[in-house]
Amino acid sequence: MKINIVIALLVLFVSCKGNSQNKEKATSTKTNDNKEFAVQKTNSEWKKELTDAEYYVLREAATENPFTSQLLKNKEKGTYVCAACSTPLFKSSTKFDSGTGWPSFYEEIEGNVAYDVDYKIGYKRTEEHCATCGGHLGHVFEDGPNPTGLRHCINGVALNFVPAE
Ligand SMILES: [Zn+2]
């Protein structure tokens, strides 16, 4: 019995390490293919327009390394827009320091962010993406501050910052 558990854990560990990239690609491709977005481009078109890092996060649902985003410590007033299609996604007034290493917001700009459920790392998470182009942004968790109690954990590379006038 114990051996079975050990083997099961090993399999789980190996599959998380080994296949996570493939699974992410398969899931994101499937997700985006099934939906119609106002901005639709082929993968090769996106590849030309986006940097490598933007492409892997926005189009292949990769996750940037924590504490690497230049926007993480940004406290200026303004709007965070989609790095792919410039749709306004988050206001600076809803940004907070979550300590996770990713830019975090307690509220999205309503209607501009869409949601999906994924099980990529073994448990249910709510994935979020740009409602205009389908670009992957990050995940939303229910451990955020008031007034919403939500934590939108966003890849900084998926965002551009537009300072307020
Ligand atoms: Zn977009």
Side-chain angles (χ1 to χ4, degrees):
M1 189 60 187
K2 266 187 189 164
I3 290 173
N4 282 343
I5 292 169
V6 170
I7 289 171
L9 286 174
L10 275 176
V11 169
L12 191 66
F13 182 72
V14 170
S15 67
C16 285
K17 283 288 180 193
N19 294 332
S20 60
Q21 200 67 22
N22 291 339
K23 270 188 204 157
E24 287 190 359
K25 279 179 192 173
T27 312
S28 73
T29 307
K30 199 174 145 210
T31 301
N32 291 337
D33 283 353
N34 289 343
K35 285 190 185 161
E36 292 286 320
F37 291 103
V39 173
Q40 299 256 29
K41 291 179 186 178
T42 64
N43 283 344
S44 56
E45 285 172 328
W46 282 124
K47 241 177 193 158
K48 272 183 216 158
E49 289 182 22
L50 303 173
T51 66
D52 285 353
E54 287 169 347
Y55 182 84
Y56 287 122
V57 169
L58 284 157
R59 306 311 310 175
E60 298 197 339
T63 299
E64 73 186 10
N65 287 326
F67 301 101
T68 57
S69 172
Q70 292 182 346
L71 296 175
L72 182 61
K73 302 275 182 200
N74 184 32
K75 291 193 165 78
E76 279 182 62
K77 283 186 183 165
T79 307
Y80 293 85
V81 305
C82 176
C85 75
S86 298
T87 295
L89 300 173
F90 300 96
K91 293 177 185 165
S92 60
S93 55
T94 68
K95 191 170 187 279
F96 70 99
D97 183 2
S98 64
T100 59
W102 290 282
S104 300
F105 305 85
Y106 63 74
E107 190 171 49
E108 84 284 30
I109 294 177
E110 206 182 333
N112 291 357
V113 175
Y115 299 92
D116 247 316
V117 171
D118 82 44
Y119 292 88
K120 275 174 215 157
I121 58 170
Y123 61 89
K124 185 177 164 182
R125 290 187 303 174
T126 303
E127 185 272 351
E128 56 187 306
H129 51 270
C130 172
T132 306
C133 73
H136 171 73
L137 303 172
H139 291 85
V140 58
F141 301 94
E142 294 179 349
D143 57 8
N146 287 329
T148 63
L150 296 176
R151 169 170 61 94
H152 296 260
C153 186
I154 305 299
N155 292 285
V157 74
L159 302 173
N160 283 332
F161 180 69
V162 180
E165 298 280 313

